[in-house]
Amino acid sequence: MGIRLSEHRSYYIRLADTEEDIVTTSEALTVLSSDFVKYDTVKSKSFNKSSHRFLFEKKESEYEIKADYCIGVDWIGHTGRSIYVEPKINNSNLESFIWTLENEEGATNNKKSVDDRFYELDYLSMLLQLTSISESKNAVDDLLQIDWDAAQIPIEQKDDKLTPFLIVRFLQTLKSIVKKGLKKDYYKVKENLNNRIKGKILVGQQIKQNLLKHRFTSTYCEYQIFDIDHLENRFLKKVLDFVVAYVESHKNLLKDNLHIIQQTINYCKPAFAFVSNNIKENELKYIKHNSLFKDYKSALHIGGYILKRFAYNITQTTTQKVLTPPFWINMPQLFELYVYSKMVEHNIEFKKEIQFQFSTYGNALDILVSHPEYQMVIDAKYKLKYQRGHLHQDIRQVAGYARLNKVRTELKIEDDRNIPCLIIYPDMVNGVDDFSLINIRNSKRSIKAYYNVYKLGVKLPIIGF
């Protein structure tokens, strides 16, 4: 049985005295002592240095399991229970979402009423956006972690966030490959030729297929062809068949992204018209990556995940209940890449002056804008707290980046003026959707407690209910 949470919400495990006290609610679970002690060995799981898959804490009389800023599915230790964290923000509980966070320094405490609409972040649209921009697509691979060695977790097909993520990632990479043209390579062909010899004669097959059957004018040969119907392209064609089957069976799950996904499929399919999908599972180990074709390496990697996801059985793409390996998607990093890709898209003429993850002696600031008219240091924070206040710790961080000599040198600043600092955060209701530098400059709001430090809410794609 699984525990379902939204991002950054808590769930409590409590001890029941008798079987009659066993209760399961949306906020807590009571269990008998025999099950309660199983949670004693559970520990928090990290995603990276700044994010956790989930946080687990033992208190006086209960355990608290808390979702962080990642979405996914995982086992809760060896308790036999799983956790499912969804990218959903219930606006009627938005105050709880914000104010039950840890009481970080500098957060304002002025509650306001919010509307009761229900939002779900459309993470697929965010992924489609950033993989459509060449400057950001190469950083996508770090967004996802999958534990293939762990036991798989049963979930409803509608709750499967992993497969759509992999499919979108694969299709966008495949589109890039098709746009450049399918790679040609040498591959072996075995054929029974009439009145001619090509390559080498396969003696065993020649005896079996021709001599014993008195076909003296035929020769069974093996030779090489330089064309597109080689092992790598066959593998991609096979994965594409799985993707098409999944998309056709689950159109309702893809919702607003279905049209873009189908367009991408229709763009890619003709390129594989003369490529076979005849490939065996044991042949996959013979695929070798060529460093000159980076998109191939990525597509083969993600394609392998997709086939493994369906156990190489295309009929499993239509099932309504599925088994999924534990996986996690890093939403803060997805948000950073989304903001960067939108800025590149809306400022094509200045894209070389918008740098992502500018390295600063062991640190990397999110976005550095070096255009003389719009110079600024930008930190993208996946935190709703900024809708009502600010966090001193984040401001100290971004201000610290702005004082680095390497940053000032990059911006060609030789005097003592301060570089403007901007914190960008999600705001699905009042945020801006124009990421042009001029609009960012004109729409940013000053954080009054600090000089030359600003914040700006941006809209994210959402699914309305």
Side-chain angles (χ1 to χ4, degrees), residues 211-227:
L211 297 184
L212 295 179
K213 297 180 180 180
H214 305 289
R215 298 172 180 168
F216 301 115
T217 60
S218 298
T219 309
Y220 204 91
C221 301
E222 180 183 81
Y223 56 94
Q224 288 189 327
I225 293 180
F226 185 73
D227 201 2

Side-chain angles (χ1 to χ4, degrees), residues 11 28 46 66 77 96 102-103 128 152 163 196 211 218 243 271 304 336 342 357 378 383 393 413 427 431 435:
Y11 196 87
S46 62
K66 189 175 186 179
S96 175
E102 65 276 15
N103 185 23
L128 282 166
Q152 299 206 26
T163 305
R196 63 193 180 103
L211 297 184
S218 298
V243 168
E336 292 172 7
K342 293 292 282 188
Q357 293 290 301
I378 298 177
K383 297 179 180 180
Q393 183 178 354
I413 295 177
D427 186 344
F435 288 75

Side-chain angles (χ1 to χ4, degrees), residues 144-169:
L144 179 68
Q145 292 181 359
I146 306 175
D147 187 358
W148 292 108
D149 296 327
Q152 299 206 26
I153 301 170
I155 61 172
E156 295 289 330
Q157 182 73 264
K158 62 182 178 62
D159 292 330
D160 182 11
K161 298 293 186 289
L162 175 60
T163 305
F165 187 97
L166 293 175
I167 283 175
V168 167
R169 179 75 180 105

Side-chain angles (χ1 to χ4, degrees), residues 246-268:
Y246 178 87
V247 171
E248 289 300 314
S249 301
H250 303 289
K251 294 180 179 179
N252 60 317
L253 297 181
L254 301 172
K255 298 180 181 177
D256 297 339
N257 303 298
L258 178 62
H259 180 64
I260 298 176
I261 290 173
Q262 288 180 326
Q263 276 188 332
T264 307
I265 290 174
N266 293 335
Y267 179 85
C268 295

Side-chain angles (χ1 to χ4, degrees), residues 433-447:
D433 51 15
D434 180 356
F435 288 75
S436 64
L437 292 178
I438 187 170
N439 187 61
I440 290 175
R441 184 183 65 185
N442 295 337
S443 301
K444 68 183 187 297
R445 291 183 294 150
S446 176
I447 297 178

Side-chain angles (χ1 to χ4, degrees), residues 106-125:
T108 60
N109 194 27
N110 180 26
K111 294 188 180 182
K112 297 180 181 178
S113 60
V114 293
D115 60 53
D116 59 356
R117 283 175 292 175
F118 199 50
Y119 301 114
E120 179 178 344
L121 281 179
D122 192 349
Y123 74 101
L124 284 182
S125 287

